[in-house]
Amino acid sequence: MAERRDGTVLCPGSYDPVTNGHLDIITRSSQVFERVVVCVVNSPLRKNKTLFTAEERKGFIEEATGHLGNVEVQIFSNLLVEFARQLGAKSIVKGLRAISDFEYEFEMAQLNRKLDPEIESIYMIASPEYSFLSSTGVKEMATFGGDVSDLVPGSVAAAMADRLAER
Ligand code: PNS
């Protein structure tokens, strides 16, 4: 395998919950970059309430990435570029699934660039088997009793079933 690029990158997101598609991007990032910090948004300003708390979301990712020595998970509740500066990260890595992602990601990348032109946004194309997969879709499927066992880690599927049953 080629040598990893020096330095820290962030893989930010809501991760409510983490899917196998996110884990694919995180794993591939860990093969390219020296240190990957998966950062879980904890924003009280967000309109939609999350199914899982930030601590729970962090825990699922830690469990699923424990075998990757250069990956860690942190929660952030400030501006992403500020958090990147705090950690000395020079790049943000995100997955891109389809054209429909492009508009949102274009806006986010331009916003983040305006806030800090030194921090580069890098997009990794989703693996084809995950190009349809989203946390929202998985939650919807689980809400109506669909089988999500090959879309999210086993512990996430079980926790979703429990949490949705409480509602
Ligand atoms: O697609 P997601 O998972 O909702 O993305 C979350 C995040 C933070 C990566 C995206 O919203 C972003 O790039 N935001 C930039 C603005 C920012 O820093 N917001 C602060 C969130 S606490």
Side-chain angles (χ1 to χ4, degrees):
M1 195 197 293
E3 256 180 54
R4 291 188 176 100
R5 287 170 176 76
D6 284 349
T8 300
V9 298
L10 302 186
C11 284
S14 308
Y15 299 109
D16 185 45
V18 69
T19 68
N20 291 345
H22 293 131
L23 293 170
D24 176 56
I25 298 291
I26 294 165
T27 304
R28 286 163 56 199
S29 299
S30 78
Q31 287 157 0
V32 176
F33 300 101
E34 190 181 39
R35 176 182 177 226
V36 175
V37 180
V38 181
C39 40
V40 176
V41 182
N42 183 26
S43 170
L45 294 178
R46 291 225 159 187
K47 272 184 283 175
N48 302 325
K49 201 174 158 6
T50 54
L51 184 60
F52 294 106
T53 66
E55 283 298 339
E56 288 170 327
R57 287 179 271 146
K58 176 177 183 246
F60 295 138
I61 304 170
E62 277 174 342
E63 196 183 325
T65 59
H67 61 292
L68 301 171
N70 58 339
V71 173
E72 63 196 84
V73 191
Q74 297 201 27
I75 295 170
F76 75 107
S77 48
N78 51 349
L79 274 177
L80 181 58
V81 293
E82 254 172 41
F83 190 65
R85 283 195 294 262
Q86 277 167 23
L87 296 183
K90 285 274 169 237
S91 309
I92 294 164
V93 179
K94 294 196 80 181
L96 205 56
R97 288 164 300 188
I99 304 282
S100 49
D101 278 344
F102 181 80
E103 214 173 328
Y104 172 75
E105 293 300 345
F106 182 81
E107 185 182 327
M108 286 302 143
Q110 300 294 21
L111 264 177
N112 288 328
R113 183 201 299 271
K114 179 146 182 50
L115 291 170
D116 192 333
E118 300 277 298
I119 295 174
E120 193 61 70
S121 294
I122 299 174
Y123 287 89
M124 210 174 248
I125 300 296
S127 298
E129 61 270 39
Y130 302 123
S131 58
F132 63 93
L133 187 53
S134 69
S135 299
T136 307
V138 165
K139 278 185 284 196
E140 182 145 345
M141 281 177 72
T143 301
F144 295 100
D147 180 12
V148 295
S149 57
D150 58 351
L151 305 179
V152 293
S155 56
V156 173
M160 263 200 301
D162 288 350
R163 184 62 46 93
L164 291 165
E166 289 164 12
R167 288 190 157 188

